[in-house]
Amino acid sequence: MALLAIGALAYGPAEAGNVSEDDSRPSVDADIITAIDDSSSMTRLKRMVEYTGLAKAVMDPGFLARIASGPNGRVGFTAFAWSSDGKMEVIVPWMLITAADDAAKASAELLKAIEIDASKQFAVRRTDVALAIGAAAAIGQASPFASSHTFINICSDGVSNSGVPPHAVRNRALAEDMTISAVLFGSRPMLVDYYARNVIGGPGAFILTISDAAAMSKLLARKYWLDLTS
């Protein structure tokens, strides 16, 4: 397992930008968007590791404690699955996480998504990383919450093999003051290098590589915690 830090991690909600005083949306300390690879290469075992890890991470006591210590004491949270040809599916609709009860609801929704829909089980689903970034950026722009900063986490096991090159879409998201990080299955140097050059960016962006099921929830919990580190 490994954590590759890109940029300064000392980037907290209070420093991330200003929320307009006339914004009537509920204020949060950050918006956290998780984009989950749903391509054909994600086997049932990988899906189980992926979704179970996310479900545990969102309930991590350290993550919840960090939320509670923030200026607003809450974050906006959403997650969706993506593959190619414009295919995406909301797994956790936008919600506020303030405490363990909220996190438990998000966790339950993530666990529901482990089993793949029978209608798409045998369909070819490629990996369109640009779709993941673009969809996440659009979801962030349409957030129902007033956030100082948006953190996008791309979870995947491969490079883009469908759609447009991701770096241009990445650059547009960065222009909107978003941070894009990656959670990758495996630590192949080529894969890590690809995401470092084409996908991640923004203050505090980094790559997590995951080698086994036991590492998944611990590293994701750390990822979510770092999203809120001041």
Side-chain angles (χ1 to χ4, degrees):
M1 69 187 77
L3 182 152
L4 305 181
I6 309 294
L9 289 178
Y11 188 83
E15 301 168 344
N18 297 316
V19 175
S20 172
E21 293 183 359
D22 60 0
D23 196 326
S24 61
R25 297 173 297 167
S27 294
V28 296
D29 294 318
D31 274 339
I32 299 175
I33 302 169
T34 301
I36 306 166
D37 191 343
D38 195 36
S39 63
S40 298
S41 63
M42 294 299 295
T43 63
R44 189 178 187 280
L45 176 59
K46 284 183 179 179
R47 290 176 67 88
M48 186 171 293
V49 171
E50 187 174 41
Y51 284 104
T52 301
L54 287 164
K56 289 180 179 179
V58 78
M59 293 187 66
D60 179 76
F63 173 54
L64 295 175
R66 185 65 187 91
I67 291 175
S69 69
N72 294 293
R74 57 190 180 182
V75 299
F77 185 88
T78 186
F80 69 95
W82 56 275
S83 56
S84 60
D85 302 311
K87 296 183 179 71
M88 57 170 290
E89 178 183 357
V90 175
I91 303 299
V92 182
W94 272 120
M95 63 177 294
L96 288 170
I97 294 183
T98 61
D101 288 349
D102 304 316
K105 293 176 184 176
S107 179
E109 293 299 322
L110 288 161
L111 289 175
K112 282 183 192 176
I114 291 175
E115 296 299 329
I116 189 169
D117 189 322
S119 66
K120 63 181 181 180
Q121 187 170 3
F122 300 106
V124 175
R125 305 184 312 281
R126 299 187 184 279
T127 305
D128 186 347
V129 179
L131 168 65
I133 299 171
I139 289 170
Q141 290 171 340
S143 171
F145 310 121
S147 171
S148 297
H149 197 67
T150 297
F151 294 92
I152 296 171
N153 300 307
I154 307 292
C155 300
S156 184
D157 71 338
V159 301
S160 194
N161 59 16
S162 179
V164 302
H167 64 271
V169 182
R170 182 269 313 272
N171 292 344
R172 289 196 292 272
L174 298 185
E176 296 294 330
D177 195 27
M178 298 178 177
T179 292
I180 305 170
S181 295
V183 178
L184 304 178
F185 283 84
S187 55
R188 305 189 307 276
M190 178 275 292
L191 181 63
V192 173
D193 180 66
Y194 178 86
Y195 274 77
R197 288 187 293 105
N198 297 286
V199 179
I200 71 167
F206 57 90
I207 296 172
L208 291 175
T209 61
I210 293 169
S211 57
D212 55 59
M216 181 72 170
S217 61
K218 292 180 181 179
L219 287 179
L220 280 169
R222 186 179 184 187
K223 170 70 188 75
Y224 286 148
W225 189 91
L226 286 169
D227 283 345
L228 300 176
T229 298
S230 58

